[in-house]
């Protein structure tokens, strides 16, 4: 028995996974670029397998879909900044290790409130006042939507993941309910484009471009949050709370207050994102208004390690591929799920490469074995 | 070459990233001997033992057991070779009995005959001189009984080579003596034993030979009879070290802290501190001794306002003569009152510091709320960080390095440095030298003495009884959350404190 064990023991493992102590930023960047490159190759292989087309043509289609015309380029910009805004909104909560996966619901509620203002007050108030109102109300709506999980987390340490996730479905039901009242044309079960003639509550076009205001809002919020996170006392407090509540108490930080304040901030920004979707983009409301962006933004924020510039790059990459995929889907008559496949492959590689950033694979030298 | 070697490590190397934990280590354990492995924290003792017990796999080098070259790839392999390791942190299941824990994971026949197992265990324990009731549940056991279960567990499984990782760290002097008696019995029985420790007196008492590691390198193995405390220290540190701690007479002691009948409950509603009363004076070091988990942590946290107080009060007498009732205040209220209470908690990275933040960020833990209304001031904490690095010789790549990446000693220097920089009137430290090398330990002792001379009231929890007797002026002993005695450190003995540590409160006085 013993000797059998021993012969088995003579074999040395072929390779070992070793946790890295430290990785040079340049090397980490290189691994990430390699992951993107690999993802693009695999995407190409998949697309070729489906469409039997020349890959160069396929990538041409993707590029044309994302930035081929001025309109397409602006849509790409609009979607990028939107994703960025949600990721920025999630940042304070995540930094505090509050896993807010309820951005989807917070966006929907913010969007619903914007739609309500556009529908009921759209013709009665000047546009500037209307927009200010939309911003304030949508932020408040997002805050209200995150208040419940925040208070429960602070008071009873409930699991925020389930709580925020469940509220997404509540938000969807509220939207469905509202659509009953706002149907246009009646019987269509959709709200249709709100104020398509008066454009009440729409973002005004600045310098001939429709989405300039979106960009401005997102940039301002991003900069404010960066300053808040890095230079404010409140930002410091939430970072300490996220790292260790014991240290926070030791430092005399009111942990409950910080949790509630931070989650409300996060929810408020996600609510604002709802206004940007509705007033600054679709001009309608449906249960798919958030469209999964609340979840995609989690990946953006997380992969960027909350660095705003990295968040811009990752948002752009994801949106670029998505928009491009929509184009090749119609070009090669695939259905709209093709874009999900492309995004999925991209995310698989981007998230998977984190393994190689944290671990390294060590091969054992064969020669060692001979000695025994 | 008559005697076979139980274990022989040849040129064993283990790296973790850039860190070389074991660098070309050679080690021999003869059959039937007790070998001490001596080394400071971070010298690679535990890493080496973990390779013998199958937790790590060496990058280079060979291991021989009873003369045969072996590959130990898992704890199971290690066990098949008759190596049993008793870890510092026990791996027992609380709700099971001793016997159930001992047979856990062993293969057996369909029917379990508990009586027979109890008999077997009793036979084993009487042979080696253990005291153990096989039917007793783990949760009813003291630390030393739990350790006994761990040792019997590996013996029951037929281990011939035992490795004990710092077995005496959690024991009172009396319990240590008992353990050593058992180890000697095992040696007589032909078992080979490795004992990891950094208490030099114990090394000299128990072992036949001593192997010394320093910074991952193997230094030498010497016969214990040829060694002295001074010679071993020199081997361990690499230079001559002055091992005396100075102790001055307290200068004009004034009452600073008074605890009156304090009781604290834990989450389950059990009293972790019951009816504790004591006074602490300026210009003195008050030591707190006790078996770990006897209420030391709660005692300090209650003063710092971090522990919910059930009944009783904590009073603070400031140098101007005013009295503040700390037990009614939260930690932020104490901070805002500008009472200079410094606290170096036991859990350095989990309570005193923020592991992922750099040195500057960690200085801000105490100062972030000062200054401008909304934005933080990073300049003065940065200066403070630079000052501490410079004054206390903190080894760090830069002050932008996350403190988690610093070694234990340097982490402690950062924390103690920050707390002292608050110019406290009361300084509380819990286990100030745990995990620190000898030189850093003495740096910390000197810092505490410096504070004492400045008139600070120092309250300090220390586990090493030799040190507490040398450093402190008075020693408060805790036993099961009760204050079992306050003794004069200049006249008290180790045995006296050991008895108080296990005494159930008042009965101690009878002894």
């Amino acid at each position: 028995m013993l000797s059998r064990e021993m012969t088995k023991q003579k074999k040395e493992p072929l390779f070992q996974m070793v946790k890295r102590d430290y990785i040079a930023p340049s090397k980490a960047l290189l691994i990430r670029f390699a992951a993107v490159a690999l993802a693009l190759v695999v995407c190409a292989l998949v697309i070729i397998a489906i469409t039997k087309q020349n890959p160069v043509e396929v990538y041409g289609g993707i590029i044309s879909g994302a930035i081929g015309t001025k309109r397409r380029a602006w849509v790409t910009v609009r979607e990028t900044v939107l994703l960025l805004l949600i990721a920025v909104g999630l940042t304070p909560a995540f930094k505090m290790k509050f896993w807010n996966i309820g951005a989807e619901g917070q966006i929907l509620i913010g969007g619903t409130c914007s739609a309500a203002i556009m529908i009921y007050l759209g013709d009665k108030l000047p546009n500037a006042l209307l927009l200010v109102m939309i911003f304030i109300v949508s932020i408040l709506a997002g805050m209200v939507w995150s208040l419940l999980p925040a208070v429960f987390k602070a008071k009873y340490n409930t699991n925020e993941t389930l709580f925020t996730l469940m509220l997404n479905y509540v938000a969807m039901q509220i939207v469905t309910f509202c659509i009953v009242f706002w149907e246009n044309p009646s019987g269509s079960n959709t709200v249709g484009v709100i104020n398509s003639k008066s454009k009440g509550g729409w973002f005004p076009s600045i310098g001939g471009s429709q989405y300039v205001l979106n960009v401005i809002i997102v940039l301002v919020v991003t900069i404010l949050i960066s300053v808040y996170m890095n230079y404010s006392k409140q930002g410091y407090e939430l970072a300490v709370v996220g790292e260790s509540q014991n240290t926070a108490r030791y430092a005399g930080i009111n942990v409950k207050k910080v949790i509630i304040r931070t989650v409300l901030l996060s929810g408020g920004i996600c609510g604002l994102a709802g206004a940007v979707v509705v007033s600054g983009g679709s001009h309608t409301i449906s249960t798919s208004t958030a469209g999964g962006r609340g979840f995609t933004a989690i990946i953006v924020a997380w992969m960027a390690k909350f660095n705003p510039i990295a968040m811009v790059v990752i948002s752009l990459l994801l949106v670029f591929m998505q928009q491009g995929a929509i184009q090749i889907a119609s070009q090669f008559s695939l259905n709209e799920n093709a874009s999900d496949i492309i995004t999925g492959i991209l995310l698989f590689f981007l998230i998977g490469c984190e393994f190689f950033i944290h671990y390294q694979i060590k091969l054992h030298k064969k020669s060692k074995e001979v000695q025994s | 070459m008559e005697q076979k070697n139980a274990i022989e490590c040849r040129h064993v190397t283990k790296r973790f990233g850039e860190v070389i934990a074991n660098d070309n280590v050679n080690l021999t354990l003869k059959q039937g001997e007790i070998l001490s492995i001596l080394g400071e924290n971070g010298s690679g003792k535990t890493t080496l033992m973990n390779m013998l017990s199958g937790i790590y796999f060496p990058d280079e080098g060979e291991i021989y057991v009873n003369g045969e070259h072996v590959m130990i790839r898992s704890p199971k392999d290690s066990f098949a070779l008759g190596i049993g390791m008793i870890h510092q942190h026990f791996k027992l299941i609380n709700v099971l009995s001793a016997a159930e824990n001992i047979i856990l994971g062993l293969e057996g026949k369909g029917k379990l005959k508990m009586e027979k197992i109890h008999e077997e265990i009793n036979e084993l324990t009487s042979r080696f001189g253990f005291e153990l009731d096989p039917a007793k549940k783990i949760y009813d056991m003291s630390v030393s009984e739990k350790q006994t279960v761990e040792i019997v567990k590996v013996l029951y499984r037929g281990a011939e080579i035992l490795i004990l990782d710092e077995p005496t760290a959690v024991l009172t002097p009396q319990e240590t003596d008992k353990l050593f008696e058992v180890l000697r019995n095992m040696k007589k029985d032909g078992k080979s034993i490795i004992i990891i420790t950094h208490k030099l007196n114990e090394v000299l008492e128990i072992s036949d030979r001593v192997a010394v590691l320093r910074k991952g390198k193997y230094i030498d193995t010497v016969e214990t009879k040829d060694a002295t405390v001074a010679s071993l220290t020199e081997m361990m540190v690499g230079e001559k070290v002055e091992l005396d701690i100075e102790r001055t007479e307290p200068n004009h002691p004034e009452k600073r802290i008074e605890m009156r009948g304090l009781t604290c409950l834990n989450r389950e509603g059990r009293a972790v501190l019951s009816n504790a009363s004591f006074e602490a004076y300026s210009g003195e070091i008050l030591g707190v001794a006790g078996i770990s988990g006897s209420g030391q942590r709660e005692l300090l946290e209650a003063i710092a306002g971090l522990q919910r107080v059930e009944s009783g009060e904590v009073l603070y007498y400031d140098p101007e003569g005013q009295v503040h009732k700390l037990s009614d205040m939260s930690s932020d209220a104490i901070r805002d009152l500008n009472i200079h209470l410094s606290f170096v908690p036991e859990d350095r990275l989990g309570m005193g510091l923020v592991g992922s933040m750099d040195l500057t960020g960690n200085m801000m833990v105490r100062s972030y709320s000062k200054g401008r209304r909304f934005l933080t001031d990073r300049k003065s904490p940065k200066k403070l960080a630079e000052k501490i690095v410079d004054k206390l010789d903190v080894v760090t790549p830069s002050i932008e390095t996350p403190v988690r990446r610093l070694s234990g000693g340097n982490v402690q220097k950062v924390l103690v440095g920050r707390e002292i920089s608050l110019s406290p009137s009361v300084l509380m430290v819990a286990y100030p030298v745990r995990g620190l090398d000898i030189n850093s330990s003495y740096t910390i002792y000197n810092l505490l003495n410096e504070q004492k001379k400045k008139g600070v009231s120092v309250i300090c929890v220390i586990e090493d009884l030799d040190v507490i007797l040398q450093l402190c002026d008075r020693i408060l002993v805790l036993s099961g959350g009760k204050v079992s005695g306050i003794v004069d450190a200049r006249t008290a003995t180790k045995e006296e404190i050991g008895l108080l540590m296990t005494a159930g409160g008042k009965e101690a006085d009878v002894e």
Side-chain angles (χ1 to χ4, degrees):
Chain A
M1 163 95 187
L2 202 74
S3 62
R4 202 192 70 209
E5 291 263 359
M6 301 244 287
T7 46
K8 243 183 12 195
Q9 286 154 13
K10 296 262 167 160
K11 270 185 227 142
E12 235 180 299
L14 205 68
F15 61 86
Q16 262 180 307
M17 285 177 305
V18 181
K19 197 158 168 58
R20 282 180 205 264
D21 206 29
Y22 172 75
I23 183 162
S26 59
K27 199 172 172 188
L29 206 62
L30 199 74
I31 291 176
R32 293 206 174 90
F33 273 120
V36 173
L38 261 175
L40 294 181
V41 171
V42 174
C43 282
L45 290 177
V46 170
I47 295 166
I48 293 160
I50 297 170
T51 61
K52 315 264 187 302
Q53 298 286 336
N54 177 357
V56 176
E57 207 174 311
V58 172
Y59 276 107
I62 288 179
I63 293 168
S64 133
I67 51 171
T69 66
K70 202 175 163 194
R71 213 195 102 72
R72 284 176 190 164
W74 270 111
V75 170
T76 302
V77 167
R78 182 190 79 194
E79 290 297 310
T80 304
V81 295
L82 181 58
L83 201 55
L84 176 65
L85 179 62
I86 304 164
V88 165
L90 289 173
T91 298
F94 276 18
K95 191 95 190 207
M96 198 181 63
K97 307 237 163 90
F98 180 99
W99 310 120
N100 177 16
I101 54 172
E104 198 82 355
Q106 290 148 12
I107 296 163
L108 272 180
I109 286 297
T112 309
C113 290
S114 310
I117 292 171
M118 286 162 75
I119 289 167
Y120 294 120
L121 303 170
D123 304 325
K124 299 190 180 85
L125 294 173
N127 206 20
L129 191 62
L130 212 51
L131 281 176
V132 171
M133 222 170 131
I134 284 172
F135 293 147
I136 294 171
V137 173
S138 64
I139 290 172
L140 287 177
M143 283 181 167
V144 168
W145 214 242
S146 58
L147 181 67
L148 217 52
V151 169
F152 273 74
K153 175 77 181 178
K155 285 229 150 129
Y156 308 110
N157 196 23
T158 48
N159 184 320
E160 72 276 13
T161 326
L162 282 175
F163 213 134
T164 50
L165 179 70
M166 288 309 170
L167 281 175
N168 289 344
Y169 300 104
V170 179
M172 272 187 205
Q173 292 305 317
I174 289 178
V175 172
T176 314
F177 182 71
C178 288
I179 289 172
V180 175
F181 293 98
W182 297 341
E183 251 184 350
N184 183 24
S186 64
S188 66
N189 205 23
T190 59
V191 177
V193 176
I194 304 165
N195 302 341
S196 54
K197 294 211 182 68
S198 69
K199 302 206 167 166
W202 289 31
F203 279 16
S205 58
I206 297 169
S209 294
Q210 215 183 338
Y211 302 124
V212 175
L213 189 57
N214 303 38
V215 176
I216 293 170
I217 289 173
V218 174
L219 284 185
V220 168
V221 172
T222 306
I223 291 166
L224 285 180
I225 289 297
S226 297
V227 171
Y228 180 83
M229 294 301 297
N230 294 319
Y231 299 103
S232 78
K233 287 179 182 176
Q234 297 192 354
Y236 180 78
E237 284 181 332
L238 74 89
V240 175
V241 169
E243 193 63 35
S244 155
Q245 294 202 1
N246 269 335
T247 310
R249 290 193 310 130
Y250 170 90
I253 293 169
N254 185 336
V255 175
K256 285 181 184 149
K257 192 172 120 191
V258 171
I259 290 177
I260 294 175
R261 186 178 69 204
T262 307
V263 176
L264 289 191
L265 174 69
S266 175
I269 296 173
C270 291
L272 177 65
V276 173
V277 182
V278 172
S279 285
S282 66
H283 309 120
T284 182
I285 181 83
S286 75
T287 49
S288 61
T289 291
R293 293 182 188 97
F295 296 118
T296 313
I298 295 174
I299 299 165
V300 173
W302 203 239
M303 279 198 312
K305 306 255 150 57
F306 310 119
N307 177 332
I309 292 169
M311 281 199 267
V312 175
V313 174
I314 294 168
S315 303
L316 183 63
L317 180 68
L318 286 176
V319 171
F320 193 95
M321 292 304 286
Q322 254 166 358
Q323 296 299 320
I326 291 168
Q327 168 67 22
I328 54 166
S330 65
Q331 197 171 323
F332 300 109
S333 57
L334 307 169
N335 69 15
E336 70 269 29
N337 294 335
S339 121
D340 290 343
I341 293 174
I342 301 236
T343 317
I345 293 171
L346 200 57
L347 288 179
F348 177 83
F349 277 90
L350 276 176
I351 296 169
C353 84
E354 295 294 310
F355 174 84
F356 294 95
I357 288 169
H358 291 295
Y359 291 88
Q360 66 189 134
I361 305 291
K362 265 192 185 167
L363 290 175
H364 272 269
K365 288 179 201 113
K366 281 272 171 204
S367 60
K368 282 276 163 210
E369 232 171 319
V370 188
Q371 288 177 9
S372 60
Chain B
M1 279 276 125
E2 265 302 294
Q3 210 177 10
K4 259 204 248 167
N5 288 328
I7 290 182
E8 198 179 341
C9 298
R10 285 190 205 157
H11 312 295
V12 168
T13 297
K14 178 78 191 169
R15 297 185 197 85
F16 295 104
E18 300 291 304
V19 183
I20 304 179
N22 281 152
D23 186 5
N24 199 10
V25 171
N26 296 296
L27 185 84
T28 313
L29 172 69
K30 291 182 192 159
Q31 268 176 1
E33 75 161 349
I34 299 179
L35 173 75
S36 287
I37 298 189
L38 191 63
E40 300 202 82
N41 284 285
S43 60
K45 296 170 297 195
T46 305
T47 306
L48 185 63
M49 291 307 112
N50 280 339
M51 284 190 279
L52 293 178
S53 62
I55 292 170
Y56 297 144
F57 189 80
D59 292 338
E60 285 164 32
E62 296 111 56
I63 297 171
Y64 295 81
V65 174
N66 297 323
E68 289 220 44
H69 182 203
V70 293
M71 290 282 173
I72 305 172
R73 294 174 56 174
S74 72
K76 226 173 143 188
D77 290 353
S78 168
F79 233 100
L81 293 165
I83 302 174
M85 179 146 175
I86 291 103
H87 292 272
Q88 214 173 346
H89 301 285
F90 304 139
K91 298 164 195 315
L92 297 169
I93 295 171
N94 261 327
V95 294
L96 297 184
S97 73
E100 284 163 341
N101 266 287
I102 287 167
I103 59 163
L104 197 71
L106 287 179
E107 284 176 22
K109 299 205 181 70
K111 199 165 175 237
L112 193 61
K113 288 197 190 101
M114 222 49 205
E115 285 104 56
K116 195 166 159 268
I117 290 160
H118 282 194
E119 262 169 47
E120 285 169 6
I121 291 171
N122 283 332
E123 193 269 322
L124 202 64
T125 49
S126 61
R127 179 146 64 106
F128 294 114
F130 291 109
E131 281 167 29
L132 182 68
D133 173 8
K136 200 172 179 183
K137 304 275 191 205
I138 301 296
Y139 58 75
D140 280 332
M141 290 188 173
S142 70
V143 179
S144 111
E145 283 176 293
K146 286 180 195 169
Q147 188 179 57
T148 306
V149 177
E150 288 280 10
I151 298 173
V152 174
K153 191 162 93 184
V154 298
L155 288 175
Y156 186 83
R157 288 150 195 242
E160 285 300 316
I161 302 164
L162 280 90
I163 303 170
L164 296 103
D165 190 359
E166 305 224 11
T168 60
V170 291
L171 302 180
T172 63
Q174 287 80 5
E175 289 166 341
T176 304
D177 287 342
K178 252 195 227 164
L179 173 71
F180 284 178
E181 199 46 52
V182 169
L183 292 182
R184 287 195 194 97
N185 287 336
M186 287 195 229
K187 184 179 132 186
K188 266 184 227 152
D189 201 60
K191 310 235 182 266
S192 320
I193 299 165
I194 295 180
I195 165 167
I196 301 178
T197 177
H198 53 238
K199 293 187 186 167
L200 295 164
N201 293 329
E202 293 175 355
V203 170
L204 294 174
E205 193 189 330
I206 187 75
S207 57
D208 300 307
R209 293 189 309 141
V210 190
V212 181
L213 296 180
R214 188 200 310 149
K215 290 176 184 159
K217 288 203 173 72
Y218 170 77
I219 303 301
D220 198 6
T221 303
V222 294
E223 296 282 330
T224 308
K225 58 180 192 301
D226 304 329
T228 63
V229 169
S231 74
L232 290 177
T233 314
E234 204 182 323
M235 281 172 76
M236 215 159 98
V237 183
E239 56 187 272
K240 270 215 160 66
V241 180
E242 195 62 56
L243 284 175
D244 289 321
I245 306 171
E246 67 161 343
R247 173 162 57 192
T248 53
E249 284 296 320
N251 188 17
H252 300 298
E254 279 175 46
K255 188 151 74 177
R256 281 280 172 271
I257 292 281
E258 183 177 359
M259 192 177 269
R260 286 188 194 156
L262 200 78
T263 298
C264 293
L265 304 180
N266 66 1
R267 272 201 196 129
E268 287 86 46
R270 200 169 55 83
V272 278
L273 206 60
S274 62
N275 202 16
S277 303
F278 75 93
E279 289 165 3
Y281 297 89
S282 65
E284 70 154 10
I285 300 182
L286 174 68
V288 179
I291 301 169
S292 66
S294 300
Q296 295 94 323
R297 179 195 178 121
E298 289 78 10
L299 189 84
L300 297 190
E301 289 188 3
I303 299 171
L306 295 168
Q307 182 74 35
R308 265 223 14 227
V309 170
E310 191 64 22
S311 62
E313 52 190 17
V314 181
L315 301 175
Y316 168 73
Y317 298 79
D318 71 18
E320 279 78 45
Q322 266 191 306
V323 187
H324 305 274
K325 196 169 168 193
L326 296 183
S327 42
D328 287 347
M329 293 186 227
S330 62
S331 59
D332 46 327
I334 294 172
R335 178 189 73 192
D336 295 340
L337 253 178
N338 257 333
I339 297 175
H340 294 294
L341 260 184
S342 284
F343 180 26
V344 178
E346 174 183 357
D347 189 358
R348 292 166 200 158
L349 289 173
M351 186 177 231
L353 300 167
V354 186
S356 62
M357 285 189 186
D358 64 4
L359 268 65
T360 309
N362 274 293
M363 294 301 127
M364 287 165 65
V365 166
R366 283 295 195 186
S367 64
Y368 83 93
S369 61
K370 298 196 184 84
R372 288 176 290 185
R373 237 182 89 78
F374 186 75
L375 296 179
T376 50
D377 167 27
R378 292 187 76 92
K379 268 188 209 137
S380 41
K382 194 175 168 200
K383 263 189 210 144
L384 178 60
E386 278 162 357
K387 207 174 111 191
I388 288 173
V389 167
D390 183 50
K391 264 181 108 180
L392 299 182
D393 298 316
V394 178
V395 181
T396 170
S398 76
I399 59 165
E400 276 87 42
T401 309
V403 288
R404 198 174 26 211
R405 292 177 49 110
L406 304 187
S407 74
N410 288 309
V411 166
Q412 183 69 329
K413 282 181 190 170
V414 170
L415 180 52
V416 172
R418 184 191 72 203
E419 290 304 298
I420 288 176
S421 74
L422 301 170
S423 43
S425 58
V426 177
L427 170 65
M428 296 184 286
V429 286
Y431 307 104
V433 300
R434 184 184 275 176
L436 267 58
D437 61 37
I438 294 183
N439 281 321
S440 314
S441 299
Y442 279 79
T443 312
I444 301 287
Y445 299 145
N446 288 337
L447 284 171
L448 295 181
N449 263 321
E450 233 170 69
Q451 294 300 305
K452 169 185 166 182
K453 280 183 210 154
K454 276 191 190 161
V456 175
S457 165
V458 181
I459 304 174
C460 118
V461 179
I462 291 184
E463 47 199 341
D464 189 330
L465 294 182
D466 291 312
V467 172
I468 207 168
L469 282 166
Q470 279 184 64
L471 177 71
C472 302
D473 297 295
R474 292 185 304 136
I475 300 170
L476 179 154
V477 189
L478 284 172
S479 167
K482 296 192 178 81
V483 177
S484 58
I486 297 176
V487 296
D488 184 345
R490 286 177 176 79
T491 56
T493 64
K494 235 163 105 173
E495 284 65 35
E496 198 182 323
I497 295 175
L499 284 174
L500 286 171
M501 278 161 74
T502 45
K506 286 276 183 285
E507 298 96 278
D509 297 338
V510 185
E511 288 274 346

